[in-house]
Each structure stands twice: as C-alpha cells, then as structure tokens.
Amino acid sequence: MSAHEQGFGAAPNAPFWLVSELRSVGLVPGRYVLGRAADADIQLADDPNVSRRHVRLVVSNDAVEIEDLGSSNGTWLDGKLVQHPLRMPVGGKLRVGAEEFELRRLRPPRRRRQSATTSPEIPLGRSVVAADDDETSTREDTPVDMVYDQVIGLLDARRVDDARRFVDPLLGLLELGHRPLQAAALDRVGILTLRLAEVSGEGRYVDWIINEHRRRGRLVSSTTAELLERVLFAGVPVDGLGLESYLSLVSELGLASGTPGDELVRRIRGASAQRGFTVPSPPPEEH
C-alpha cells in the first residue's frame, strides 16, 4: 500500500502526519516522494501544477526534512520557496501545487494524572456530563483532534465522501486500541460519527458509537444524546438490538444515576420507542 492510500488505521505508530483538507498521511521513518507520477509515494495526480516527482520528504523519528526535486512550479514552506533541503517544523505548512499540508506530530501516550483541566469546548452548546473526574483532557496530539476541525468543515459543506475518508480510518485506529480514549475524546468521536450518520443516512456510524459506549461501560454525554435523538427521529437505520443492549447495560450498571443522566436516558428511550424498538424499562426507584 502506498503512502497516499494510508489513513489513521494504516499507520497508527507513525510519529508524524501530513494533514490537508483532502487527506491524512501517516509518516513512518523513511523517504517519500510527492508528485503526479503513478509510483509517487504520495500521489497528487489531479493537479497539473505538480511535477511528476515534485518534492522528497526524509522522515526520522525526530524530524522531517523536505527537498524540492527540481519541480516546475516550486515547493513552498510557510510561504517561502524551498531552494535547498530544509527541516519542516511541526505545524509548518507545505504547499505543493494547490494542496497545502500541515505537519503534525502524534506523541506517545502520557501517564494519567490528577488534573483540574476541563474538557475542550464542543459545538451544540451542551456540556459533557459523563466525563470521568480522574481523566485529563487530551485535546492535544490525539488522532481525534487532528482531524476534528477538518471533518466538521466537510460535514458543514455536506462533502460526505471526503468526510468518510477521514472518519473511517480514524475509527479503524480507535478499534486497534492504540491510545486510551478519554471521555472528552469519546464525545468528539460521537459528534463526528453521528453528524456523519445524519448527513449520509448511514446507520453504521450510529452503531459504532453506541457499541463503543457499551464496550467501555459509559453513559453518553448530553451532546451525544442530542445527536443520537436527532438521527433516530430522522429515521437513520440503526441496529435496534445493539441500542437495546446498551440501554439494558445502562440500567444494570446504574450509569444514569442522578437527574441529568436520567434525563439523557429518558430522551433516548423516547426516540427508540418511536422507532419501534423494544426499550428496556428503567429500574424501579428505591424507597
């Protein structure tokens, strides 16, 4: 598989990533040629301003060096023409033809520690109510955050196919369990999957996020519940048995204890019942 076909699921241990509006490429140590040629490691076939062998990347565990290969229209790093081999900084912008790539780094998981850091702000104006108190926010350097803004922009523009190109490999990586998925990151994945399900009409994204919450034994956040309610009312096809199983688990483990949690589950049960699913009854109140 060539580098231009890789997504997050294909190279989960890559120390560096090239991310543009169209693709995300994991860079393990080695040499990569970007260009229009069929044998280019990262192929930019549809851009006439890109040479057949346009620029070379030399990647180590600690650095990425770029070298223009005598291209007709030049290679640009942070707005400056590349005239000799240069080290590309993390966050640097590499322009090849019409496409601009940003270099990002995925750091190794850090030790969990007590922290008062709050979850990152997310759309829809709802706070996350299911976050674990002993987890730190992982806004920086996680695969979820590396693609979140791009996918939201694509969904806002209803570019479903492009959004899938980011989300499907991301879900593949998360299934590999490469990094612990903390509550704030899980909530962001919920936003991406449920919004994609809403726009595309594909229930497999709903099934994935429900199964992930069931597997981890977590109550959905208010944001996820709102989107889940929306896709259920919209008639997106979902696995009813999977949803019923999750609601049963919520009842058995008492995950919805307290007024906010009870309200979340009540809303999901209501939307599920309207779809004709067999909704598990809530546990009896203790007196």
Side-chain angles (χ1 to χ4, degrees):
M1 177 182 290
S2 62
H4 73 274
E5 295 175 302
Q6 292 180 352
F8 281 103
N13 296 310
F16 294 98
W17 293 85
L18 279 182
V19 179
S20 75
E21 289 187 354
L22 301 177
R23 72 194 85 209
S24 55
V25 183
L27 301 176
V28 297
R31 293 172 176 265
Y32 302 82
V33 171
L34 285 73
R36 284 193 300 110
D39 61 350
D41 300 299
I42 303 174
Q43 190 179 26
L44 311 178
D46 299 327
D47 190 339
N49 294 314
V50 174
S51 298
R52 290 179 55 78
R53 293 173 58 83
H54 196 107
V55 61
R56 178 186 292 119
L57 306 181
V58 180
V59 181
S60 68
N61 284 319
D62 302 312
V64 175
E65 186 177 90
I66 61 174
E67 179 184 2
D68 185 84
L69 298 176
S71 63
S72 299
N73 294 294
T75 301
W76 303 80
L77 177 61
D78 293 331
K80 297 180 179 179
L81 184 65
V82 175
Q83 297 179 313
H84 52 82
L86 294 173
R87 176 173 290 197
M88 185 176 181
V90 173
K93 304 293 177 63
L94 175 69
R95 179 168 290 280
V96 180
E99 191 164 354
E100 184 175 81
F101 296 90
E102 180 179 345
L103 182 66
R104 302 187 184 181
R105 181 159 194 172
L106 182 63
R107 296 177 186 166
R110 288 167 288 201
R111 290 179 178 270
R112 179 181 293 183
R113 65 182 185 278
Q114 296 290 339
S115 173
T117 304
T118 58
S119 301
E121 185 177 350
I122 54 180
L124 302 175
R126 297 265 186 156
S127 60
V128 178
V129 298
D132 298 337
D133 292 337
D134 65 341
E135 291 183 343
T136 60
S137 171
T138 54
R139 177 72 181 258
E140 295 183 354
D141 305 315
T142 68
V144 179
D145 296 308
M146 287 169 68
V147 302
Y148 182 83
D149 291 337
Q150 285 95 332
V151 175
I152 290 296
L154 293 170
L155 292 172
D156 287 343
R158 305 189 73 82
R159 292 168 56 184
V160 175
D161 289 341
D162 289 333
R164 284 196 198 98
R165 291 176 64 183
F166 284 93
V167 173
D168 288 350
L170 172 63
L171 300 185
L173 173 60
L174 297 179
E175 288 173 356
L176 291 175
H178 176 57
R179 292 171 63 96
L181 192 62
Q182 298 182 2
L186 181 61
D187 196 57
R188 293 190 131 211
V189 177
I191 293 170
L192 297 183
T193 52
L194 293 172
R195 284 204 56 191
L196 181 52
E198 185 179 31
V199 174
S200 69
E202 294 182 78
R204 63 190 178 99
Y205 297 109
V206 185
D207 299 337
W208 191 95
I209 197 63
I210 290 172
N211 183 65
E212 193 67 10
H213 279 80
R214 181 181 60 185
R215 186 171 71 87
R216 296 173 183 273
R218 287 186 173 175
L219 178 65
V220 296
S221 72
S222 58
T223 304
T224 302
E226 178 177 326
L227 285 168
L228 179 56
E229 186 180 29
R230 222 158 71 187
V231 298
L232 288 172
F233 280 132
V236 175
V238 301
D239 176 11
L241 292 177
L243 182 56
E244 293 165 13
S245 176
Y246 173 64
L247 291 174
S248 294
L249 179 69
V250 168
S251 297
E252 291 170 7
L253 298 183
L255 298 178
S257 58
T259 303
D262 289 338
E263 173 62 17
L264 294 181
V265 174
R266 184 193 65 77
R267 288 165 52 190
I268 297 172
R269 281 199 175 99
S272 301
Q274 182 158 321
R275 289 289 300 276
F277 300 145
T278 304
V279 183
S281 301
E285 297 184 2
E286 296 182 3
H287 298 285

